[in-house]
Amino acid sequence: MSDFHLDNTVLSALQEVMEDEYPTLIETFLADSEERMVSLHKAVERADAQLLQLAAHSFKGSSSNMGAPLLASLCRQLEDDARRGQLCSASRLIARIGEEFSVVRALLRDGLQGNS
């Protein structure tokens, strides 16, 4: 199940490169992602397609870099919709992004505890 949410090849490569700083990288990603979720909600509340597109783009990139392909894909969908000015499904998509982020967060934290 976790392979569906996290790319273990990407995480292994990050862990190899980051060594002792890997836990800090994970915690930074998680904290930044919390802020990105807030930005997504604010943008949709304001019906600001440009802000929503930028926030989704940023979240997509960090999710992809951290090996969270489903999360990145959902963010890409939101980014594409916002680019086209289609905000009617944004709230529902942000909810799905939030759900997926919760799964990713739990898996990453479990992985950190397993490596301690």
Side-chain angles (χ1 to χ4, degrees):
M1 177 175 158
S2 67
D3 289 345
F4 180 70
H5 301 283
L6 291 174
D7 184 333
N8 290 317
T9 303
V10 171
L11 292 175
S12 293
L14 287 171
Q15 194 167 13
E16 186 176 317
V17 170
M18 297 299 296
E19 296 178 345
D20 292 341
E21 294 301 314
Y22 179 72
T24 302
L25 175 67
I26 296 298
E27 290 303 329
T28 300
F29 167 72
L30 295 176
D32 286 349
S33 295
E34 294 284 349
E35 292 176 21
R36 293 179 204 288
M37 286 300 305
V38 170
S39 295
L40 293 176
H41 285 288
K42 284 182 182 177
V44 79
E45 286 170 10
R46 296 176 185 164
D48 187 332
Q50 184 177 9
L51 181 61
L52 187 59
Q53 179 185 343
L54 292 172
H57 176 80
S58 179
F59 201 2
K60 175 191 72 178
S62 63
S63 298
S64 179
N65 290 340
M66 291 302 296
L70 180 55
L71 184 56
S73 176
L74 291 167
C75 291
R76 183 180 58 249
Q77 290 174 37
L78 183 60
E79 178 186 13
D80 291 346
D81 286 353
R83 181 180 299 112
R84 292 188 300 268
Q86 297 176 347
L87 303 182
C88 57
S89 64
S91 292
R92 187 172 58 251
L93 195 47
I94 290 170
R96 288 183 60 206
I97 290 168
E99 291 166 6
E100 180 60 16
F101 173 60
S102 292
V103 171
V104 167
R105 178 179 47 219
L107 290 170
L108 287 173
R109 289 209 167 125
D110 286 350
L112 285 179
Q113 290 176 354
N115 289 330
S116 299

